[in-house]
Each structure stands twice: as C-alpha cells, then as structure tokens.
Amino acid sequence: MSNSMIPTRVLGRQGLIVSALGLGCMGMSQSYGPADERESIATNHRAIELGMFFLDTANVYGDGHNERLVGRAIADRRDKVILATKFGLKRDDGSMNISGRPEYVKACCDESLARLGVEHIDLYYQHRIDPEIPIEETVGAMAELVQAGKVRYLGLSEASADSLERAAATHPI
C-alpha cells in the first residue's frame, strides 16, 4: 500500500497487511486537551505520507467526534489507508458500559460507517469483551457485517485466549 521505509505486518491469518506503525487517533478528540481539527487532519495526512497507513479510531472516542475527524482526514485518500474502528464501549449516564449484543454491534457499525463517510471498514473489532453475551453471538453478528460487505476483517481487543478461540470458531479473527 505504501512505498515508504516503514515495514508492514500481517494481522491474523486472512492476509490483512498493515503498516508496522499505526496512528492511534483517540487523543485527537479526547483525553489530551482541546481538539485541534486542522492539526489533527494534518497529522493524519503526514502519517500517511510517511507510510503509516494503519489508522485506528473508535465510536466512543469523543462520542463519535474522532470517527468524523478521521473520515474528513481520509476523504480524499481512502484507498491509501487501512481503517480500523472499534465498538463495544458506550457511555450511559456518565458511566462506561460494555455491550456485545448483536443488535448493538450492527447499529454501531452503521453509525461508524456514516460518521467515517466510508462504504466499508477494513478492521472492525470489539473494544472489550461483554461478559454477559457469549462471544459467539457477538462475533456472529460481526460476521454478518463481513457478509454484507460493510467490514473486511474482524478483531477483538483485550480478549482472553479462550475468548479468541471461541470467536475464531465462529469466524476468522
């Protein structure tokens, strides 16, 4: 995807190739002071120019602000990036909760696609495993997104080996 000197890595067994260095975009919308859209977009552009084409965001970062920001940053260079976003964390009445409910998975994906302004997400992964919902149900809903062409690859964040094995039995992770 890039002619830079930044090496690449294969994630998983399905052949997803990403830059070994990725740009985590969370801090552009929360946690590290006020957001500066112009500077954040310039940072995304410079990272891509340098060959760092793996960009990571999440629906919860800045309550959707980060996905909108990343979407604007890549609008004219979508074909140059591997775009990852996460779902599964949600803010309810000031507290952070986890959801892996199939209907939530699907709704989050549609909302992320709209905020990002893209037709598909390259890597869609669960931010945290929901202890109340069997991982097979969550990954089953995620697999439907792959079948629908909304997502190319699936992943899990902060998952145990057992959760990964059970998830992979449902769909490649």
Side-chain angles (χ1 to χ4, degrees), residues 21-134:
L21 296 175
L23 182 60
C25 299
M26 178 191 78
M28 297 175 184
S29 297
Q30 70 175 50
S31 301
Y32 302 112
D36 182 332
E37 182 161 327
R38 199 182 79 200
E39 186 67 26
S40 296
I41 289 175
T43 300
N44 273 272
H45 290 177
R46 185 66 176 142
I48 295 165
E49 288 169 14
L50 293 171
M52 189 182 307
F53 60 87
F54 184 39
L55 305 180
D56 178 83
T57 184
N59 65 340
V60 73
Y61 296 163
D63 292 324
H65 174 269
N66 199 250
E67 287 182 329
R68 287 187 295 275
L69 170 77
V70 171
R72 285 190 295 274
I74 67 167
D76 63 345
R77 54 199 82 199
R78 174 63 177 104
D79 62 335
K80 294 179 173 29
V81 302
I82 296 296
L83 181 58
T85 194
K86 297 175 285 300
F87 72 92
L89 293 180
K90 61 181 186 171
R91 290 186 176 95
D92 290 321
D93 300 325
S95 63
M96 192 68 74
N97 294 303
I98 299 171
S99 179
R101 296 187 181 284
E103 62 276 7
Y104 181 73
V105 172
K106 294 174 183 178
C108 284
C109 182
D110 289 340
E111 292 165 4
S112 290
L113 288 166
R115 281 190 295 268
L116 290 160
V118 299
E119 293 183 10
H120 72 274
I121 296 163
D122 296 305
L123 175 60
Y124 194 55
Y125 60 113
Q126 188 176 20
H127 220 140
R128 303 285 186 284
I129 304 299
D130 185 339
E132 304 297 319
I133 304 295

